[in-house]
């Protein structure tokens, strides 16, 4: 059955609306205000939730975090891949991070344990 011209127009408009809504939701998934404050090819860590407090930018290699960030990395944005490392009791625990990952409230996760950042686990 062939749709009438008004029906085709409504169908096209509906598809375009759904496509636009899907694009809008995807764009909102990554916090837009943080891309400007975290350089490309870096993982940025903050001592406060919602990207507040002191900021540390990691750009590669193994690094023991400065004291203010150890066990107190409460938000992050990853503009590159890397690994978050915890050294509790001499045992290494590691979490892989990929480009595009972020957390505004990492204080309820591994952020209470991070001691170092590296290229890989």
């Amino acid at each position: 059955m062939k749709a009438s011209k008004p029906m085709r127009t409504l169908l096209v408009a509906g598809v375009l609306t759904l496509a636009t809504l899907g694009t809008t939701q995807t764009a909102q998934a990554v916090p837009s205000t943080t891309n400007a404050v975290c350089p490309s090819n870096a993982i940025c860590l903050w001592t406060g939730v919602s990207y507040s407090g002191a900021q540390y930018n990691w750009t590669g290699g193994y690094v023991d975090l400065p004291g203010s960030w150890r066990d107190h990395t409460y938000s992050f944005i990853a503009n590159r891949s890397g690994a978050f490392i915890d050294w509790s009791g001499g045992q290494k625990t590691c979490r892989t991070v990929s480009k595009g990952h972020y957390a505004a409230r990492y204080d309820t996760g591994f952020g209470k344990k991070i001691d170092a950042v590296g290229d890989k686990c």
Side-chain angles (χ1 to χ4, degrees):
M1 175 189 258
K2 190 172 179 181
S4 67
K5 187 174 181 179
M7 182 59 88
R8 282 193 306 260
T9 303
L10 285 173
L11 287 172
V12 169
V15 168
L16 290 174
T17 300
L18 287 174
T20 302
L21 288 175
T23 303
T24 301
Q25 290 172 346
T26 302
Q28 292 174 350
V30 177
S32 62
T33 58
T34 58
N35 289 334
V37 297
C38 185
S40 63
N41 204 35
I43 295 178
C44 300
L45 312 170
W46 286 267
T47 56
V49 298
S50 299
Y51 320 105
S52 65
Q55 180 177 345
Y56 179 82
N57 298 338
W58 174 83
T59 57
Y62 177 90
V63 176
D64 287 318
L65 291 174
S68 298
W69 284 267
R70 278 186 222 135
D71 302 330
H72 293 90
T73 297
Y74 290 165
S75 52
F76 78 90
I77 297 225
N79 285 333
R80 64 168 292 158
S81 61
F84 294 157
I85 302 163
D86 172 42
W87 291 105
S88 293
Q91 298 293 322
K92 179 181 178 181
T93 305
C94 190
R95 300 286 188 270
T96 301
V97 181
S98 297
K99 182 177 181 174
H101 286 173
Y102 66 93
R105 294 293 316 244
Y106 209 46
D107 59 320
T108 60
F110 200 68
K112 293 189 291 187
K113 298 180 178 187
I114 297 173
D115 296 316
V117 182
D119 292 311
K120 58 186 175 183
C121 289

